[in-house]
């Protein structure tokens, strides 16, 4: 996987793909010996509604505070591929925490 030139110019380096969902993929990036999580849509051709939902998610994440909530470092919706870069918190995944329960 290649990260966008915009992120590469800022010093981010791809480490590995962490997961994928219905509309987005997540990747671990490294910069200055720190790890970050990159979330970006699976397609760069988003509908107006998908782009709106991705923006809403970035704004909502940026409002969260707490040691269990990742801090949003940056996000962009310009130049083709939208993305959200946030703090990487190592630990149990949400799906394993929920373990199929509501």
């Amino acid at each position: 996987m290649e990260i966008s030139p915009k992120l590469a110019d800022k010093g981010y380096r791809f480490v590995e793909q962490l997961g994928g969902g219905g509309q987005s993929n997540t990747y671990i990036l490294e910069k200055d010996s720190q790890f970050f999580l990159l979330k970006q849509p699976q397609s760069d051709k988003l509908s107006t509604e998908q782009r709106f939902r991705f923006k809403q998610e970035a704004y909502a994440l940026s409002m969260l505070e707490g040691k269990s909530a990742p801090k949003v470092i940056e996000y962009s919706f310009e130049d083709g591929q939208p993305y959200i870069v946030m703090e990487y918190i190592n630990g149990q995944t949400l799906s394993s925490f929920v373990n199929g329960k509501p």
Side-chain angles (χ1 to χ4, degrees), residues 11-76:
Y12 291 101
R13 183 182 65 80
F14 172 79
V15 176
E16 68 179 283
Q17 181 167 351
L18 188 61
Q23 295 184 24
S24 298
N25 292 321
T26 54
Y27 306 93
I28 297 176
L29 303 180
E30 183 268 332
K31 178 182 175 183
D32 301 328
S33 300
Q34 290 185 293
F35 293 102
F36 299 91
L37 185 79
L38 169 66
K39 180 172 185 174
Q40 60 187 142
Q42 292 176 345
S43 171
D44 58 353
K45 294 176 174 70
L46 299 178
S47 69
T48 303
E49 181 180 339
Q50 290 170 317
R51 185 170 286 275
F52 175 78
R53 287 197 317 248
F54 195 78
K55 281 183 182 182
Q56 291 298 100
E57 181 177 357
Y59 296 142
L61 282 169
S62 68
M63 305 283 268
L64 294 176
E65 292 182 17
K67 68 179 184 176
S68 297
K71 178 181 176 191
V72 173
I73 307 301
E74 66 177 279
Y75 50 83
S76 175

